[in-house]
Each structure stands twice: as structure tokens, then as C-alpha cells.
Amino acid sequence: MPGYVIHLAEAELILDKMRKLRQIDDAFEQAFLTGTLLPDTRLKGEKCFSHFWDPDKLECLALGPELARFTDKYGQRLNEPVMLGYLAHLHLDARYVTEYWPTVMAFYGCTGEPEYRKTHIAEVEIKRLQKCVPVSRFFSVDYYYGDYTKLNGYFIHKYHLRVPKWQSIPMSPPEEVNLQDMQMICRELDHLKKECHAGDEKRIQVFELGSLERFMAASAEKFCDSYI
């Protein structure tokens, strides 16, 4: 899934589009940005709840949120910027694994057959490099997570990312999240803003920056068309 930085960059794209459609103030923007981070306040084992995954599909690695599960429960609250931001996070995640991942990677089992069950995946094809690596090495700082780290500085500076002032926002968050963990997330984002610099994105291996940004722009457009 995209990390905090990519989610905030996507949120800024959506806010840019929203400003052209209606007047929004800083309080709205701060609440929306907060909402885009809330699904990640759950630890890895609990993200099935905060990300509204289908419990019958948890064996799949490329598993995105079921948006209908969220809108069926909270659709009447999408006038609240926090809830709209929450949905924006889920929307990006859902499109990320179903539409973007297949353009940059493919998963295979031990005998070379396509495989989507996370416990049965043996290797990952990195399409940009035209090579396969063991799944344990792919999801490491050598490739997938390392690319996110290298991209942080680029997105932080290009999209002028803001860490939301969430503690001053009156809200009633979804019961699926742990609001206390927002402090940890925002502390990490503050650290990244100070320490990350543009330039490292030139060394990414899995992703291709141009296609990733085009995907994010298209996703922001689709979100606004569907929910704004």
C-alpha cells in the first residue's frame, strides 16, 4: 500500500481540485488531511478492520479496501471532511493494488505460476528491471520499501506536504481506528520533512516516477468525480 507521504500527496491533489469546485477553509483542509492518515493508525494485524478488507479474502496479498463496506456504514457522514479524507485513503489503496501494482510487478509461486495468496508467493517480477527476486527480498529496503524511502523527499517538496494539526480538530472518527496513534504518525512525518531531500528518487528500482504520478493524478480525478 502507499505510505503516509504518498497519501498526503494524493490528498493535496484532491484539495487542489476541490478548491476549484467550492470554497474550503483551512479547518476543512486540516480535517481532510487528518482523515487520509486515520486508516493507518492500526497496527499491521488490525488493518483489516481500519481498511475495510473483505474477511473472506485475507489470504490474498494484493488486497484492497472494499469501498462499499465503508460507504454502507459511513456514507451518510461524507459531508464531514475527516470522513471524506478517510474514504480518499481507501479509494487510493483500492486502485493501487488493482490498477497500479500490475503495471510494475507480478507474483509467482514455486513452480512459476501466477500466485496471489501471500503465503504461497515465492518470487516477484520487477517489470521495470525485467527480473524476478525472492518475495522476502522484494518487500525490503532493497526494493519495494527502499523505493518508498527514496521517493519521500521528492513528494514532500514537490507537493508541499503538510502534517495535519489533528489535535485541534473536533471530530468523531470511525470506530475502526486508534486515534492515539496519530501522534506517532505525525511525529514520523515531521521527522521525514526535516530529514528527506529530493534527489533520491533517481535511484528507485521498482516504481517509475512518471507513471506513479500519472496514476495519482488520475486517482484524484476519479475520486472527485465520484464523491465531491
Side-chain angles (χ1 to χ4, degrees), residues 131-149:
K131 75 173 186 178
C132 290
V133 298
V135 64
S136 59
R137 191 176 174 208
F138 177 78
F139 287 108
S140 73
V141 295
D142 291 336
Y143 292 103
Y144 188 80
Y145 295 123
D147 270 18
Y148 278 155
T149 300

Side-chain angles (χ1 to χ4, degrees), residues 4 6 10 39 53 118 127 135 151 157-158 184 204:
Y4 309 143
I6 289 180
E10 170 83 357
W53 292 339
K118 52 191 172 186
K127 295 188 177 182
V135 64
L151 286 166
H157 292 284
K158 177 172 180 178
M184 175 193 68
I204 59 176

Side-chain angles (χ1 to χ4, degrees), residues 98-214:
T98 59
E99 297 183 32
Y100 184 67
W101 264 18
T103 69
V104 295
M105 66 187 80
F107 304 107
Y108 299 99
C110 294
T111 59
E113 75 286 0
E115 179 61 72
Y116 301 98
R117 296 168 296 173
K118 52 191 172 186
T119 57
H120 292 70
I121 294 171
E123 60 182 11
V124 183
E125 177 190 3
I126 304 172
K127 295 188 177 182
R128 182 181 183 185
L129 302 181
Q130 297 184 322
K131 75 173 186 178
C132 290
V133 298
V135 64
S136 59
R137 191 176 174 208
F138 177 78
F139 287 108
S140 73
V141 295
D142 291 336
Y143 292 103
Y144 188 80
Y145 295 123
D147 270 18
Y148 278 155
T149 300
K150 297 181 183 77
L151 286 166
N152 281 337
Y154 175 84
F155 282 115
I156 286 170
H157 292 284
K158 177 172 180 178
Y159 295 88
H160 307 289
L161 297 196
R162 295 171 285 171
V163 180
K165 302 170 185 175
W166 66 276
Q167 291 171 316
S168 63
I169 298 170
M171 59 176 161
S172 176
E175 63 180 355
E176 289 80 8
V177 305
N178 182 1
L179 190 58
Q180 292 181 337
D181 283 346
M182 275 294 291
Q183 185 172 353
M184 175 193 68
I185 291 174
C186 291
R187 187 164 52 240
E188 182 176 344
L189 284 166
D190 281 328
H191 174 75
L192 290 175
K193 287 190 70 174
K194 293 176 183 177
E195 300 297 326
C196 292
H197 305 283
D200 287 345
E201 72 277 0
K202 298 174 183 177
R203 299 188 291 112
I204 59 176
Q205 301 186 82
V206 177
F207 304 111
E208 195 281 315
L209 185 55
S211 66
L212 178 55
E213 288 193 283
R214 288 190 295 274

Side-chain angles (χ1 to χ4, degrees), residues 63-74:
L63 181 62
E66 296 282 343
L67 300 185
R69 295 171 66 87
F70 178 83
T71 55
D72 286 349
K73 186 173 183 179
Y74 294 114

